[in-house]
């Protein structure tokens, strides 16, 4: 395998590993803050002990998030050196601000969360937990601002003197519309993951009749939180579809496997079999009007299909070739006025010409056959995107139904009697992670063949390192992360099986089923009454 | 509004401050991890040592994360060339850094002595390897590394892993390990009592002595190495492009700045004087807070010495000296430097304030009695 493929594989794998732990950190940190707020307002120690117990599991997961996160920050430099040179002027800033504003907050207060219980007042400790949750969420915000620049590069322009993109408008970079919707969509997905984690483990305890006082309270809180979060994921996912419909039309067309432009209002393909070679989607089941509404918020605007977008991109490649040729002229004759004018007129399409570098060094004079190939390269892998998207959305709707059912049953205080629902909740544990990993693929796989959409192709972004070195690091990360993930799961399972009493060194009775204030619905089982 | 030249100089200073921040803040918990097997024998002693940094090491490591992020934002070509050029060394560093969060968190979760021994070893490597790799990296930067650019500024690096671990770089690696070990010991002496404290002070004084000798040795060796001299270049406020300058190699050039600007001798002077002060205080077993400050100043002096010897170079190229990265050709645009400066000036004081709050809450020594009492909430 070549350096490009290996580097992409390594980035994808390390990102997917990192993204197993981050969403749970996001969701659990907020749930911890909610539980501890209840401790501070009610003064009942069970809420403190619940915060501590879920905190132990949070800590195990947090360690893995940190261990897998540091690789991500280094990897842009180690494996994507040309990318770092080309857009570092814009992309580096949100990453550095993330460290200053968010990761410092999160990492400084996580220690005090665990070690500060008897050194701080109740309110001080609650403030620490809230700052921990705030840091975690702000961290996601800055990372997604950086990521949004890759999806929709705004506020930057190419500078011929430095051969890179440079910032022209920081406000545009920070208030990128893609960043706004992606942030809420991603953070809410993290909340769903945290809620599912707490719901499933609580259901496990209830099915065995253990730690009922803790499990009923946890499940009720997590089900309400999860329902709200799952609804926002889908609403903001739809908003994300609308934003992509405006700025990443090719991604939408690929997700829909829509080869030809659909007349308005475009239908949404529920199922079908995309065939890249024939450029057709077979046996499609369609919902009329739906895609038009999602992507354009109208019934009279068409949604462009892949073939139309390829034709548009072909025009941009030809325009970019003029910019590339002018750039070469300006190297030797920096004062040439014609070349300068041509460059200025076509520089916005320079990235499209760079797609030709895969096939020829003489970009400015590429023959039409190569231009056609480069134009078709702008189509990402249709079938995997089509299916990944449907798996993600399917799980999203299923989780809304599950959390709604749990919420209703919990409100009627019948959780323990509805054992099928508890069993379903336990078995649904992996689903948020599956949805999230597919969601990552839809967002980043759908961005291909670009690292920066329309600006820098992925194959040009890599470092000048040997394939052997990248193979060595890839193998290392797979082995190290898999081993640590196995230890992580082992410790989680052990802590869960041992239960809160074991984890905190407290007697079992504390969590068994003590009297509960009736004001908090659904947390009292019929046996307590 | 500061101009481009001032911004670049400011960011050169901030780079130095961040590197010193890494050495001072992350340095002591790396140093404590190196000392773990040397000064603690029983499990309870190990737990005392680990818990001196348990609640704070994660925040300290953000200095490293921020350092990498700031290089990316303010010096993108340096980030691109150094991180990809030192590919396998970075892999070694990451491999070691990955062990730290899991080592701290997982160790105490089981009572099994073999389980704990595994994570003790992981923590030790997680301290030793980064300390050594940082020094080796500096050793290579001082000598220049083999890279060149094509006209699109795509970098090619021709070095090898073995080339990175050359004798001078290994010596710099040892300087770094001695410095970080001494610093860890000075912190441990503040946070422990009794046997562990006595052992920490003995180890710290020895590490300080090693640092003194190794630092002088490295200085003498560096004065004989080939350095780099910046000739004609586009200007201190020109666009960042390393293809617009002329650089020559010259023996002894690493010492040139000290001849031209005698005040720069303050850097090695600070390193030597503070190391000596740390050794004396730790041998006397007194004024432990002062010893920690002296040890921190020693780290600042050592890092400032490297920076002063190199200026205006950030990363010279041994393969094509003209491609060398300097303060004048490897920065971000003026707009980005200014924005990042504003962000740093606004946010870093807040970070320092809440970090100080956390240390104040956690003040006081970590004792065996406390570990026994809080056995479930300690590492």
């Amino acid at each position: 395998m070549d350096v490009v493929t290996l580097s992409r594989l390594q980035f994808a794998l390390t990102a997917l590993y990192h993204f197993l732990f981050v969403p749970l950190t996001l969701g659990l940190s907020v749930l911890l803050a909610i539980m501890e707020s209840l401790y501070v307002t009610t003064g009942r120690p069970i809420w403190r002990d619940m915060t501590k117990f879920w905190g132990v599991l949070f800590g195990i997961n947090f360690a893995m998030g940190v261990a897998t996160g540091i690789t991500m920050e280094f990897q842009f430099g180690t494996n994507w050196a040309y990318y770092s040179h080309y857009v570092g002027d814009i992309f580096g800033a949100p990453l550095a601000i993330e460290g200053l504003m968010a990761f410092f907050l999160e990492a400084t207060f996580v220690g005090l969360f665990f070690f500060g219980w008897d050194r701080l007042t109740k309110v001080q400790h609650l403030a620490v937990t809230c700052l921990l949750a705030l840091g975690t969420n702000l961290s996601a915000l800055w990372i997604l601002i950086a990521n949004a620049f890759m999806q929709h590069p705004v506020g930057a322009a190419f500078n011929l003197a430095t051969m890179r993109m440079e910032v022209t408008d920081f406000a545009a970079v920070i208030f990128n519309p893609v960043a706004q919707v992606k942030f809420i969509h991603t953070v809410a997905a993290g909340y769903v993951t945290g809620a599912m984690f707490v719901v499933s483990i609580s259901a496990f305890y209830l099915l065995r009749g253990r730690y009922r006082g803790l499990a009923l309270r946890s499940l009720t809180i997590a089900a309400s939180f999860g329902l709200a979060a799952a609804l926002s994921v889908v609403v903001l996912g739809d908003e994300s579809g609308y934003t992509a419909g405006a700025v990443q039309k090719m991604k939408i067309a690929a997700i829909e496997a829509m080869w030809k432009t659909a007349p308005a209002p475009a239908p949404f393909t529920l199922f079908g079999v995309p065939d890249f070679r024939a450029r057709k989607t077979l046996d499609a089941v369609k919902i009329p009007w739906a895609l038009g509404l999602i992507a354009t918020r109208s019934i009279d605007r068409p949604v462009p299909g892949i073939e139309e977008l390829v034709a548009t991109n072909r025009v941009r490649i030809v325009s970019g070739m003029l910019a590339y040729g002018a750039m070469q002229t300006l190297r030797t004759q920096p004062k040439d006025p014609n070349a300068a004018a041509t460059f200025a007129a076509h520089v916005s399409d320079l990235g499209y010409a760079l797609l030709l570098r895969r096939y020829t060094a003489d970009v400015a004079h590429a023959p039409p056959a190569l231009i056609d190939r480069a134009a078709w390269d702008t189509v990402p892998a249709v079938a995997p995107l089509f299916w990944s998207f449907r798996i993600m959305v399917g799980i999203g709707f299923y989780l809304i139904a599950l959390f709604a059912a749990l919420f209703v049953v919990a409100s009627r205080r019948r959780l323990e009697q509805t054992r099928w629902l508890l069993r379903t909740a336990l078995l649904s544990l992996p689903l948020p992670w599956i949805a999230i990993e597919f969601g990552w693929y839809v967002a980043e796989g759908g961005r291909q063949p670009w690292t920066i959409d329309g600006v820098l192709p992925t194959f040009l972004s890599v470092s000048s390192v040997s394939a052997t070195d990248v193979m060595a690091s890839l193998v290392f990360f797979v082995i190290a992360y898999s081993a640590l993930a196995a230890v992580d799961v082992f410790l989680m399972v052990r802590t869960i099986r041992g239960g809160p009493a074991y984890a905190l060194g407290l007697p079992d009775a504390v969590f068994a089923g003590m009297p509960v204030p009736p004001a908090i619905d659904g947390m009292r089982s019929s046996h307590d009454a | 509004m500061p101009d481009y030249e001032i911004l670049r100089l400011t960011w050169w200073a901030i780079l130095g401050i961040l590197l010193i921040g890494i050495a001072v803040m992350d340095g002591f918990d790396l140093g404590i991890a190196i000392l773990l097997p040397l000064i603690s024998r029983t499990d309870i002693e190990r737990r005392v040592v680990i818990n001196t940094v348990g609640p704070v090491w994660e925040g300290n490591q953000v200095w490293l994360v921020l350092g990498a992020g700031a290089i990316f934002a303010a010096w993108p070509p340096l980030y691109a060339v150094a991180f990809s050029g030192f590919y396998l060394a970075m892999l070694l560093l990451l491999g070691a850094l990955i062990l730290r969060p899991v080592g701290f968190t997982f160790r105490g979760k089981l009572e099994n002595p073999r389980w704990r021994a595994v994570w003790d070893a992981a923590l030790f490597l997680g301290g030793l390897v980064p300390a050594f790799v940082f020094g080796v990296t500096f050793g290579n930067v001082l000598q220049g590394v083999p890279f060149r650019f094509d006209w699109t500024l795509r970098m090619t690096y021709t070095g090898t892993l073995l080339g990175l671990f050359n004798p001078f770089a290994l010596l710099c690696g040892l300087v770094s390990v001695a410095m970080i070990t001494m610093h860890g010991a000075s912190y441990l002496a503040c946070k422990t009592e009794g046997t562990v404290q006595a052992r920490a002070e003995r180890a710290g004084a020895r590490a300080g002595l090693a640092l003194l000798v190794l630092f002088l040795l490295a200085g003498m060796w560096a004065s004989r190495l080939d350095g780099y001299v910046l000739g004609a270049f586009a200007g201190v406020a020109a666009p960042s492009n390393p293809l617009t300058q002329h650089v020559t190699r010259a023996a002894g050039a690493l010492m040139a700045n000290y001849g031209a600007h005698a005040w720069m001798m303050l850097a090695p002077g600070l390193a030597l004087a503070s190391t000596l002060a740390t050794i004396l205080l730790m041998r006397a077993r007194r004024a432990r807070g002062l010893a920690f400050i002296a040890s921190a100043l020693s780290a600042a002096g050592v890092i400032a010495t490297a920076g002063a010897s190199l200026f205006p170079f950030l990363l010279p190229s041994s393969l094509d000296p003209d491609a060398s990265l300097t303060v004048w050709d490897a920065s971000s645009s003026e707009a980005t430097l200014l924005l990042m400066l504003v962000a740093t000036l606004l946010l870093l004081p807040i970070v320092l304030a809440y970090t100080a709050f956390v240390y104040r809450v956690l003040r006081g020594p970590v004792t065996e009695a406390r570990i026994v009492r809080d056995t479930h909430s300690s590492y």
Side-chain angles (χ1 to χ4, degrees):
Chain A
M1 272 190 281
D2 61 347
V3 172
V4 176
T5 313
L6 287 166
S7 300
R8 286 185 63 191
L9 209 53
Q10 177 173 308
F11 196 93
L13 281 170
T14 49
L16 289 172
Y17 266 112
H18 185 51
F19 218 43
L20 288 174
F21 307 104
V22 170
L24 187 56
T25 300
L26 278 168
L28 271 184
S29 69
V30 177
L31 279 165
L32 291 175
I34 294 173
M35 288 177 194
E36 198 175 342
S37 303
L38 286 166
Y39 167 56
V40 171
T41 49
T42 66
R44 289 174 187 276
I46 178 94
W47 291 106
R48 179 197 59 211
D49 295 333
M50 278 167 62
T51 313
K52 283 188 177 181
F53 170 64
W54 294 110
V56 171
L57 296 169
F58 172 84
I60 296 171
N61 177 68
F62 190 84
M64 287 298 292
V66 174
T68 51
I70 195 156
T71 308
M72 299 312 297
E73 199 204 22
F74 278 48
Q75 207 167 188
F76 292 106
T78 51
N79 292 73
W80 303 93
Y82 197 65
Y83 171 93
S84 302
H85 151 73
Y86 208 79
V87 294
D89 195 67
I90 309 109
F91 190 83
L95 289 194
I97 296 175
E98 187 265 347
L100 268 170
M101 187 189 278
F103 194 41
F104 252 128
L105 195 64
E106 185 183 357
T108 306
F109 284 111
V110 76
L112 220 46
F113 173 81
F114 290 106
F115 293 83
W117 285 103
D118 55 355
R119 291 173 183 265
L120 297 167
T121 64
K122 274 189 202 175
V123 174
Q124 279 179 329
H125 194 280
L126 174 62
V128 164
T129 310
C130 291
L131 287 170
L132 168 62
L134 177 69
T136 312
N137 282 269
L138 278 177
S139 179
L141 173 66
W142 287 102
I143 296 301
L144 287 163
I145 287 175
N147 178 263
F149 183 75
M150 305 170 78
Q151 312 286 351
H152 179 46
V154 287
F158 185 78
N159 181 349
L160 190 59
T162 54
M163 293 297 284
R164 67 183 182 194
M165 299 294 287
E166 289 185 356
V167 84
T168 53
D169 181 357
F170 256 115
V173 174
I174 291 170
F175 298 108
N176 191 330
V178 175
Q180 322 259 319
V181 288
K182 278 284 183 64
F183 168 62
I184 307 200
H185 180 64
T186 309
V187 164
Y191 297 170
V192 170
T193 312
M196 191 73 241
F197 183 78
V198 171
V199 160
S200 299
I201 294 165
S202 302
F204 169 74
Y205 288 148
L206 289 180
L207 284 167
R208 303 200 160 193
R210 291 168 71 196
Y211 314 114
R212 294 174 39 245
L214 171 135
L216 284 170
R217 286 176 175 86
S218 300
L219 208 160
T220 305
I221 287 189
S224 346
F225 182 64
L227 178 60
L231 285 169
S232 357
V233 173
V234 173
V235 170
L236 266 299
D238 166 65
E239 196 59 32
S240 187
Y242 173 59
T243 313
V247 301
Q248 286 184 289
K249 296 188 168 66
M250 184 62 94
K251 190 189 262 181
I252 287 288
I255 285 170
E256 283 311 303
M258 196 170 71
W259 303 95
K260 308 253 187 247
T261 300
F268 178 88
T269 306
L270 202 56
F271 286 107
V273 182
D275 181 343
F276 199 98
R277 271 198 213 131
R279 291 172 190 166
K280 266 186 194 151
T281 300
L282 309 168
D283 305 325
V285 181
K286 295 183 177 183
I287 309 176
W289 289 32
L291 179 63
L293 290 171
I294 293 170
T296 70
R297 295 277 186 275
S298 76
I299 52 165
D300 54 2
R301 266 171 285 166
V303 179
I306 292 171
E307 287 181 11
E308 183 183 334
L309 292 167
V310 167
T312 316
N313 290 343
R314 195 182 187 286
V315 174
R316 297 195 70 175
I317 293 172
V318 174
S319 158
M321 288 162 67
L322 296 173
Y324 198 94
M327 183 165 79
Q328 285 172 311
T329 311
L330 290 168
R331 259 183 82 209
T332 46
Q333 298 142 281
K335 305 254 184 262
D336 187 328
N338 288 334
T342 309
F343 185 75
H346 296 277
V347 64
S348 59
D349 293 324
L350 182 64
Y352 285 84
L354 294 179
L355 289 167
L356 288 162
R357 286 275 298 271
R358 187 172 192 169
Y359 305 114
T360 172
D362 190 10
V363 168
H365 305 102
L370 290 188
I371 298 174
D372 283 341
R373 277 172 79 180
W376 273 98
D377 282 350
T378 60
V379 185
V382 174
L385 283 170
F386 181 88
W387 289 114
S388 299
F389 180 78
R390 275 149 191 78
I391 293 168
M392 175 184 79
V393 173
I395 293 176
F397 280 108
Y398 167 79
L399 288 176
I400 291 180
L402 178 65
F403 282 121
L406 284 162
F407 179 73
V408 169
V409 173
S411 308
R412 296 173 59 202
R413 299 182 189 176
R414 296 196 54 80
L415 277 173
E416 285 179 297
Q417 289 76 28
T418 320
R419 296 182 68 83
W420 65 268
L421 188 59
L422 295 179
R423 255 182 243 118
T424 313
L426 177 58
L427 292 174
S428 301
L429 179 62
L431 291 179
W433 278 274
I434 294 172
I436 275 172
E437 301 280 290
F438 278 110
W440 180 87
Y441 175 74
V442 170
E444 310 309 321
R447 192 191 65 232
Q448 300 304 325
W450 308 98
T451 42
I452 305 287
D453 192 73
V455 170
L456 186 67
T458 307
F459 70 90
L460 279 181
S461 306
V462 291
S463 302
S464 310
V465 287
S466 73
T468 327
D469 285 3
V470 185
M471 182 61 105
S473 58
L474 175 61
V475 169
F476 167 80
F477 283 121
V478 169
I479 292 175
Y481 282 172
S482 302
L484 290 179
V487 178
D488 172 88
V489 170
F490 163 73
L491 283 176
M492 286 258 189
V493 170
R494 204 184 138 92
T495 310
I496 293 163
R497 279 186 185 280
Y502 162 82
L504 305 179
L506 294 168
D508 257 24
V510 173
F511 304 96
M514 54 194 300
V516 184
I520 300 170
D521 262 348
M523 288 161 211
R524 182 168 60 167
S525 75
S526 52
H527 299 279
D528 293 329
Chain B
M1 181 125 351
D3 68 9
Y4 206 5
E5 179 189 6
I6 301 291
L7 278 170
R8 281 170 163 163
L9 286 172
T10 309
W11 270 100
W12 182 73
I14 294 176
L15 177 62
I17 290 167
L18 289 175
L19 291 172
I20 291 168
I22 296 169
V24 170
M25 298 300 290
D26 206 17
F28 71 74
D29 52 53
L30 292 172
I32 282 167
I34 298 173
L35 288 164
L36 184 62
L38 305 174
I39 64 170
S40 54
R41 316 233 157 102
T42 61
D43 183 57
I44 190 85
E45 284 175 0
R46 296 238 156 129
R47 291 187 74 186
V48 166
V49 171
I50 290 169
N51 279 283
T52 59
V53 293
V56 294
W57 82 270
E58 217 135 19
N60 292 340
Q61 187 151 299
V62 182
W63 284 92
L64 176 66
V65 173
L66 180 63
I71 295 176
F72 196 175
W75 309 101
L78 177 64
Y79 176 75
V81 174
F83 280 58
S84 65
F86 299 145
Y87 191 84
L88 291 173
M90 287 290 164
L91 181 62
L92 205 59
L93 177 67
L94 283 172
L97 289 175
I98 287 168
L99 294 173
R100 287 164 57 74
V102 288
F104 279 108
T105 308
F106 292 176
R107 183 188 186 278
K109 298 279 183 245
L110 299 189
E111 300 273 354
N112 184 329
R114 274 163 75 189
W115 169 270
R116 293 196 169 182
V118 167
W119 296 111
D120 284 344
L123 284 171
F124 172 71
L125 287 176
L128 181 69
V129 173
F132 188 65
V133 171
F134 291 149
V136 168
T137 307
F138 267 96
N140 281 286
V141 172
L142 286 164
Q143 298 172 88
V145 290
F147 66 91
R148 66 160 83 88
F149 292 104
D150 72 6
W151 70 279
T152 66
L153 290 183
R154 176 172 291 279
M155 185 274 288
T156 312
Y157 178 86
T158 59
T160 61
L161 182 63
L162 279 179
L164 279 181
F165 291 95
N166 58 70
F168 178 72
L170 293 176
L171 176 62
C172 292
L174 293 179
V175 169
S176 171
V177 170
M179 175 179 103
I180 281 172
T181 308
M182 174 182 86
H183 194 47
S186 76
Y187 183 79
L188 213 44
C190 296
K191 291 291 285 182
T192 54
E193 291 171 345
T195 328
V196 173
Q197 187 185 46
R199 285 185 199 142
E201 287 177 315
R202 210 173 318 135
R206 282 183 195 161
L209 204 59
L211 172 61
L212 209 57
V213 173
L214 292 166
F215 182 70
L216 283 170
L217 209 62
M220 279 163 19
W221 193 336
S223 69
R224 291 154 184 271
L225 285 174
D226 272 3
Y228 298 82
V229 181
L230 181 60
F233 67 108
V236 291
S240 287
N241 189 325
L243 297 180
T244 52
Q245 65 191 349
H246 189 60
V247 173
T248 47
R249 285 171 77 107
L254 282 169
M255 297 294 141
N257 280 338
Y258 299 107
H261 316 280
W263 62 270
M264 284 192 175
M265 288 298 288
L266 280 173
L270 179 69
L272 291 171
S274 332
T275 309
L276 202 60
T278 316
I279 298 169
L280 293 175
L281 287 170
M282 292 192 90
R283 284 181 70 101
R285 305 203 56 197
R286 301 173 49 186
R288 296 180 173 105
L290 205 59
F292 176 77
I293 292 171
S295 165
L297 287 174
S298 155
V302 170
I303 289 166
T305 304
S309 307
L310 278 164
F311 189 86
F313 291 96
L314 297 170
L315 182 59
S317 167
S318 55
L319 179 71
D320 174 14
D322 287 352
S324 296
L325 302 181
T326 73
V327 175
W328 317 121
D329 71 12
S331 80
S332 283
S333 66
E334 199 170 345
T336 299
L337 289 185
L338 183 62
L339 175 103
M340 287 306 301
L341 180 62
V342 172
T344 309
L345 291 177
L346 284 177
L347 295 168
L348 202 57
I350 301 174
V351 171
L352 294 175
Y354 63 66
T355 305
F357 166 76
V358 167
Y359 279 84
R360 210 173 60 85
V361 169
L362 296 165
R363 69 187 173 276
V366 176
T367 59
E368 294 192 6
R370 197 178 170 95
I371 299 285
V372 172
R373 201 192 71 202
D374 301 338
T375 192
H376 273 270
S377 57
S378 302
Y379 281 138

